[in-house]
Amino acid sequence: MSSSVQLPLWLVLLSLGLASLWLVQHFLLPSVRWVLRRRANKLIDEVNTRLALRLPSFKLTRRTVLVDRLSFHPRLIELVDSLSEAEDVPREVLMRKVNVYAREIVPAFNALVYFKGAYWIARHLVHAFYRVRLGFADDEALKRLGPDSSVVFLMNHRSNMDYILATYLAAERTALSYAVGEWARVWPLQQLIRAMGGYFVRRDSGDPLYRRVLECYVQMAAEGGVPQAVFPEGKLSRDGSLGKAKLGLLGYMTRGFDPQGTRDIVFIPVGINYDRVIEDRSLLRTLDRLPRRSTRYALRIIASYGAKTLWQSVRGKRFRNGYACVNFGQPVSLREWMNDRSIQVGGLDDVNELAADLMQRIGNITPVLPVALVTTLVVADPDRTFSSLELKASVLSLLEDLEARGHKAYIPRGDYNYAVDVGVRMLTLRGALLNEDGLLRANPVEIQLLNYYANSIKHLLTKA
């Protein structure tokens, strides 16, 4: 019994490795998952006590369950059967494609990632770049929405910072689920977006099977009460203007909606604006259809921006990028909207009227910020020079015009003189405005940039 057994070193190492894997798989990982699940459940109970919109059970369902439910959705099975017969493709091949699409689209929401990691990152990032302000929000109206309401936040799309800004400002109200383009399908951003509840969209896909999978998921999420965030314009504004709505996702949500049914869809218009959009020059470049800059050029610009920001911080002259402001508008019940127009179930296949109405509501609450005010006056007469007093008097007149039209500007500190100073400082630092012996005028080279910011509120002044 006390005799020794000799084993080769490779066999000992292999045995130790297998034993370690067994311990990790059957002891350590289950323990870690149990601890994380316990923390997540505790966090969910905590946030549900303070959120205006509680986390729905659909959002907390395991991803594998949602993938299976989506893959075997009756409307998908119907399309697979018809495509299989029409194109003479084996049904199993089409079902495998459905499963691939479902796994690509369905998110994997993680409350710890969203409310601890993502919120922390979003808060620090937006405050590092902007002075962030919430213009107004009707939180009481959100709290009055019952559990049978599916809430959709509809936002204008000014910058890629919109995702981060809205996540930060909405975190005390709900957990948003975004539709994100294919540009974000890179590691590890892809995993982070899924954990935050986002889902990916191939915006230009012509595959009818993919479009049906996406449509079924959007409808499942809406029926499950998942608060969704959608950019109706579909892409970033290239010239700064509010664009027309793309009808894809909006049509998916509303197709077949029954105004007499138990579940309502409630749209929340959201207006976003910035004193400076970080990627403004890149957007204007695509507007002019100029060739894309090389990666080396982009890295050089980023390094230059970082060095300039650091130097300004050292000298105590860093003003960040001005103000970023968000307004949350009045909820719009789809049930009431349809009943007011006597539209019955199945009568909303054409969503053009609904889209136009919602985009108008978004436009009406677009925040009016200092840079937008100053640029609106400057581009109206690019050859004119302004003294500081003349510019402030003109801004006051513009503010009175906006107020007469029913719009309210965000005025920092409630002082319009300071607001003008903020706008002028932002534009002169960038060279868009020239200060010559105390007189301000537009830099002819930067007219397109000035127009970009003036366009952000142009729609507020062109309406009767």
Side-chain angles (χ1 to χ4, degrees):
M1 296 296 292
S2 61
S3 60
S4 60
V5 177
Q6 291 186 346
L7 296 174
L9 180 60
W10 67 266
L11 183 58
V12 174
L13 295 176
L14 178 62
S15 301
L16 288 174
L18 292 174
S20 300
L21 287 175
W22 185 89
L23 284 173
V24 170
Q25 183 176 356
H26 293 86
F27 180 73
L28 293 178
L29 286 181
S31 300
V32 171
R33 282 196 293 265
W34 181 84
V35 171
L36 292 177
R37 191 179 301 115
R38 187 168 179 269
R39 288 190 62 189
N41 290 336
K42 185 178 179 180
L43 177 63
I44 290 168
D45 292 338
E46 176 193 333
V47 298
N48 273 334
T49 61
R50 58 181 173 81
L51 291 179
L53 299 173
R54 293 169 60 89
L55 297 176
S57 58
F58 181 94
K59 201 174 186 71
L60 304 175
T61 304
R62 291 176 63 89
R63 183 170 183 264
T64 53
V65 175
L66 295 178
V67 170
D68 287 341
R69 283 175 55 185
L70 178 58
S71 298
F72 293 96
H73 193 284
R75 295 190 63 227
L76 272 172
I77 299 299
E78 178 185 349
L79 180 60
V80 165
D81 290 339
S82 63
L83 288 176
S84 177
E85 182 178 349
E87 300 178 1
D88 194 24
V89 177
R91 190 176 182 278
E92 292 74 16
V93 173
L94 295 176
M95 287 302 297
R96 279 197 295 270
K97 288 182 66 177
V98 166
N99 189 260
V100 169
Y101 293 152
R103 290 184 178 279
E104 176 184 314
I105 293 171
V106 174
F109 178 75
N110 185 302
L112 288 173
V113 171
Y114 191 97
F115 289 104
K116 294 296 185 181
Y119 175 77
W120 185 90
I121 293 172
R123 177 164 59 90
H124 284 79
L125 194 59
V126 297
H127 282 292
F129 281 94
Y130 296 102
R131 294 185 176 97
V132 181
R133 298 294 184 267
L134 174 63
F136 57 84
D138 193 347
D139 289 339
E140 292 303 317
L142 285 179
K143 292 178 180 178
R144 287 195 297 269
L145 297 178
D148 293 331
S149 296
S150 297
V151 179
V152 181
F153 291 81
L154 297 175
M155 313 175 186
N156 63 316
H157 204 2
R158 295 279 290 160
S159 167
N160 285 314
M161 187 65 76
D162 295 345
Y163 297 97
I164 301 170
L165 182 64
T167 296
Y168 166 56
L169 290 178
E172 295 300 321
R173 295 163 181 81
T174 188
L176 299 178
S177 177
Y178 286 98
V180 184
E182 289 183 281
W183 62 269
R185 290 191 61 199
V186 294
W187 185 90
L189 187 58
Q190 175 176 250
Q191 287 71 20
L192 177 61
I193 289 173
R194 281 207 177 100
M196 291 173 60
Y199 59 97
F200 295 97
V201 176
R202 300 183 187 182
R203 300 195 183 277
D204 298 320
S205 174
D207 184 349
L209 192 58
Y210 172 81
R211 305 304 296 182
R212 181 64 61 86
V213 175
L214 177 60
E215 178 182 352
C216 290
Y217 172 74
V218 171
Q219 291 178 350
M220 281 174 52
E223 291 167 2
V226 176
Q228 300 187 58
V230 176
F231 298 103
E233 295 163 286
K235 60 182 180 181
L236 290 170
S237 172
R238 264 52 182 177
D239 64 354
S241 302
L242 184 68
K244 294 182 178 180
K246 300 292 180 66
L247 308 181
L249 288 177
L250 191 61
Y252 293 162
M253 292 177 187
T254 58
R255 186 168 294 129
F257 177 78
D258 183 2
Q260 307 306 322
T262 57
R263 178 164 290 279
D264 191 11
I265 297 178
V266 178
F267 298 104
I268 310 291
V270 181
I272 301 176
N273 207 355
Y274 304 87
D275 272 334
R276 178 178 180 179
V277 173
I278 297 173
E279 59 269 56
D280 52 11
R281 295 191 188 278
S282 296
L283 293 171
L284 290 171
R285 190 173 179 83
T286 60
L287 179 67
D288 290 338
R289 300 188 177 183
L290 295 173
R292 294 184 61 182
R293 299 288 195 183
S294 65
T295 303
R296 181 181 299 177
Y297 176 85
L299 292 175
R300 189 165 69 247
I301 291 297
I302 293 172
S304 174
Y305 176 78
K308 181 180 178 181
T309 300
L310 180 61
W311 178 239
Q312 288 174 344
S313 299
V314 170
R315 297 169 61 200
K317 294 185 177 182
R318 180 172 177 256
F319 302 103
R320 287 180 277 189
N321 294 300
Y323 289 89
C325 187
V326 178
N327 292 329
F328 292 86
Q330 296 291 325
V332 180
S333 164
L334 182 59
R335 176 183 294 153
E336 294 178 4
W337 191 92
M338 291 178 66
N339 287 336
D340 289 345
R341 292 160 179 77
S342 301
I343 300 176
Q344 303 301 317
V345 59
L348 203 58
D349 289 338
D350 183 356
V351 294
N352 278 286
E353 182 182 357
L354 174 63
D357 184 19
L358 293 172
M359 287 305 299
Q360 183 177 11
R361 293 171 186 266
I362 294 171
N364 287 341
I365 60 171
T366 301
V368 180
L369 296 179
V371 167
L373 289 169
V374 174
T375 53
T376 296
L377 293 170
V378 171
V379 300
D381 188 359
D383 297 324
R384 180 181 174 183
T385 58
F386 292 87
S387 68
S388 178
L389 288 177
E390 287 173 337
L391 187 58
K392 289 176 179 179
S394 298
V395 166
L396 182 59
S397 176
L398 178 58
L399 287 172
E400 291 174 348
D401 184 15
L402 286 167
E403 188 172 343
R405 295 167 182 263
H407 308 297
K408 291 185 178 180
Y410 174 75
I411 304 301
R413 304 179 184 177
D415 183 347
Y416 82 91
N417 288 300
Y418 176 72
V420 175
D421 291 339
V422 168
V424 169
R425 182 176 63 203
M426 286 294 303
L427 294 168
T428 52
L429 283 172
R430 303 190 66 189
L433 273 187
L434 301 177
N435 190 333
E436 299 173 338
D437 299 325
L439 295 178
L440 298 166
R441 67 178 181 88
N443 184 344
V445 178
E446 298 289 4
I447 290 297
Q448 191 179 42
L449 184 68
L450 292 168
N451 274 305
Y452 175 86
Y453 288 98
N455 285 343
S456 67
I457 62 169
K458 183 178 179 180
H459 59 278
L460 300 179
L461 297 167
T462 55
K463 295 183 298 182

